[in-house]
Amino acid sequence: MTNRPLLEELMEALRCLPGVGPKSAQRMAFYLLERDREGGRQLSRVLGESMERIGHCSRCRTLSETDICSLCSNPRRDDGQICVVETPSEVVAIEQATDYRGRYFVLGGHLSPLDGIGPREIGLDLFERRLAEGNIQELILATNPTVEGEATAHYIGEMARARGVRVTRIAHGVPLGGDLEYVDGGTLSHAFSGRREF
Amino acid sequence: MTNRPLLEELMEALRCLPGVGPKSAQRMAFYLLERDREGGRQLSRVLGESMERIGHCSRCRTLSETDICSLCSNPRRDDGQICVVETPSEVVAIEQATDYRGRYFVLGGHLSPLDGIGPREIGLDLFERRLAEGNIQELILATNPTVEGEATAHYIGEMARARGVRVTRIAHGVPLGGDLEYVDGGTLSHAFSGRREF
């Protein structure tokens, strides 16, 4: 195929990983070759299989190796609540941090008309069908607190309200353990105007 | 095979890489699945091939996909000089930082009698045969400046002196207790050109 040494190819290939530069790639390559060949073989196998077999859940669009993901097929979760997030990693973050037991819907991004990303590109035709099933009582909007995330939340909120579904948005404010002095102005302003009875 | 989700297996497998904990592994897995499947496939392929095909040069013991590595088979390099290092990554470091054009010998460690690592385990039988070939005029000792590295340098130095070979040691300037692999290029180059009779 190529005339390049395989070791160089390996270092180059390792750089596809986020946060891995030339030095880290070199360290990883030598580490695997000299100390953990079995780990390297296992990673090669699982990685190849993952790239081929992990697709998207046809119901919530999160990453899944089955047509319907384990969260969607779990009969013990609450069909009355649905949480909308931008990416699959946010599903994992919410599962790990909260005791939420409802369903999810993964947009895979946010509305961005200038980049040609409209409602269909973030799966809102599929989401409309979820709303039409009629089970959902509460829609929890957990898109990112960015301009695009807010606009997307607004758009989806309107879709749900049109069907009489209660719409909530996760709270935004000063993070726990954060120092008021170092929080950015936008967050502080948001936290201030969103104050609640104590 | 297992009942574990493939995505979990992928995150677990990525942790065989040095410096990659659970959070980084999760980030890497999602990144590859959502943004760079082609990179992931390529990494899987090259990694698997590397683990099978990269072995050790039968002449200098560095990592090589051929029986004799490119440094040993290069006819333009000087057979009169041989540089002894502990690991293959140190060969790369020296090649990148210096203009050394001689040969190498990779010990793959250092003498450590208490761990059962004697002369044979670090390839000194093979090295003795290199000395017996009679071409070598200068032996450059570039083992790490640690207690074990110094002891190993001393032992190898005596082997070479017994055959009338000039023995040099790279200059101290490399901090004691430091690891050759992580020294900056300028220091390494300085230490290399400033080598003295040993």
Side-chain angles (χ1 to χ4, degrees):
Chain A
M1 308 257 285
T2 67
N3 289 322
R4 274 207 306 168
L6 196 50
L7 184 60
E8 260 178 45
E9 272 193 77
L10 176 58
M11 291 180 200
E12 176 78 28
L14 282 163
R15 294 191 55 192
C16 76
L17 297 169
V20 174
K23 266 280 175 193
S24 305
Q26 182 181 322
R27 182 164 153 249
M28 287 174 170
F30 281 118
Y31 177 87
L32 292 177
L33 286 165
E34 293 185 85
R35 311 238 189 115
D36 193 11
R37 295 221 176 205
E38 199 33 67
R41 278 189 204 101
Q42 171 74 359
L43 176 55
S44 164
R45 219 166 20 230
V46 174
L47 186 58
E49 214 184 319
S50 297
M51 293 301 118
E52 300 316 319
R53 279 183 38 204
I54 298 179
H56 293 89
C57 172
S58 63
R59 195 160 162 79
C60 77
R61 299 176 29 120
T62 197
L63 290 168
S64 173
E65 59 189 297
T66 48
D67 180 46
I68 303 288
C69 74
S70 60
L71 290 166
C72 283
S73 61
N74 186 340
R76 283 194 300 236
R77 295 194 72 112
D78 183 1
D79 280 320
Q81 289 182 305
I82 191 163
C83 175
V84 174
V85 295
E86 294 186 25
T87 68
S89 50
E90 287 153 14
V91 174
V92 175
I94 292 171
E95 283 297 293
Q96 282 171 354
T98 76
D99 57 359
Y100 177 67
R101 298 291 295 161
R103 306 292 181 179
Y104 288 95
F105 190 82
V106 177
L107 302 172
H110 45 241
L111 290 174
S112 181
L114 289 179
D115 301 314
I117 299 174
R120 181 170 288 272
E121 281 69 32
I122 59 172
L124 294 187
D125 47 342
L126 186 61
F127 184 70
E128 183 68 52
R129 290 207 291 280
R130 282 294 282 279
L131 287 173
E133 288 172 10
N135 294 321
I136 300 169
Q137 269 109 51
E138 182 185 0
L139 164 66
I140 301 167
L141 293 164
T143 52
N144 285 318
T146 56
V147 174
E148 297 87 352
E150 291 293 350
T152 307
H154 185 78
Y155 187 96
I156 297 170
E158 288 306 308
M159 284 171 67
R161 274 197 207 91
R163 294 199 177 256
V165 172
R166 180 186 168 211
V167 180
T168 60
R169 178 98 172 96
I170 58 167
H172 295 117
V174 179
L176 292 189
D179 194 327
L180 222 68
E181 188 179 348
Y182 299 113
V183 163
D184 67 285
T187 301
L188 194 55
S189 166
H190 198 98
F192 222 78
S193 64
R195 66 188 180 275
R196 298 163 58 175
E197 294 300 328
F198 185 65
Chain B
M1 308 255 286
T2 67
N3 290 322
R4 274 205 306 167
L6 196 50
L7 185 59
E8 260 178 46
E9 272 193 77
L10 176 58
M11 290 180 198
E12 176 78 27
L14 282 163
R15 294 190 56 194
C16 76
L17 298 169
V20 175
K23 267 281 173 193
S24 306
Q26 183 181 318
R27 183 164 153 251
M28 286 174 171
F30 282 119
Y31 177 86
L32 292 177
L33 286 164
E34 293 185 83
R35 311 237 191 115
D36 193 10
R37 294 220 177 206
E38 200 32 67
R41 278 189 205 103
Q42 171 74 356
L43 176 56
S44 163
R45 216 162 26 225
V46 174
L47 186 57
E49 213 185 319
S50 297
M51 294 301 118
E52 300 316 318
R53 279 185 36 206
I54 298 180
H56 292 88
C57 171
S58 64
R59 194 160 162 80
C60 76
R61 296 173 33 115
T62 198
L63 290 167
S64 172
E65 59 189 297
T66 48
D67 179 47
I68 303 287
C69 75
S70 59
L71 290 167
C72 284
S73 61
N74 186 342
R76 282 194 300 234
R77 295 194 72 110
D78 183 2
D79 280 320
Q81 290 182 306
I82 191 162
C83 174
V84 173
V85 296
E86 294 186 25
T87 69
S89 50
E90 287 153 13
V91 174
V92 175
I94 291 170
E95 283 296 295
Q96 282 171 354
T98 76
D99 57 359
Y100 176 66
R101 298 290 294 162
R103 305 294 183 178
Y104 289 95
F105 190 83
V106 177
L107 301 171
H110 45 241
L111 289 174
S112 181
L114 289 178
D115 302 313
I117 298 173
R120 181 171 290 273
E121 282 68 32
I122 58 172
L124 294 188
D125 46 342
L126 186 61
F127 184 69
E128 182 69 50
R129 290 205 292 279
R130 284 293 282 279
L131 286 174
E133 288 172 9
N135 294 321
I136 301 171
Q137 269 109 50
E138 181 185 3
L139 164 66
I140 301 167
L141 293 163
T143 53
N144 283 319
T146 58
V147 175
E148 297 87 353
E150 291 293 350
T152 307
H154 186 77
Y155 188 95
I156 298 170
E158 289 306 308
M159 283 171 69
R161 272 197 208 91
R163 296 204 175 252
V165 172
R166 180 185 170 209
V167 179
T168 59
R169 179 98 173 96
I170 60 168
H172 287 109
V174 177
L176 289 187
D179 195 326
L180 217 71
E181 188 179 348
Y182 300 111
V183 162
D184 70 281
T187 304
L188 191 56
S189 174
H190 192 89
F192 218 77
S193 63
R195 65 186 184 274
R196 299 163 59 175
E197 294 299 327
F198 185 67

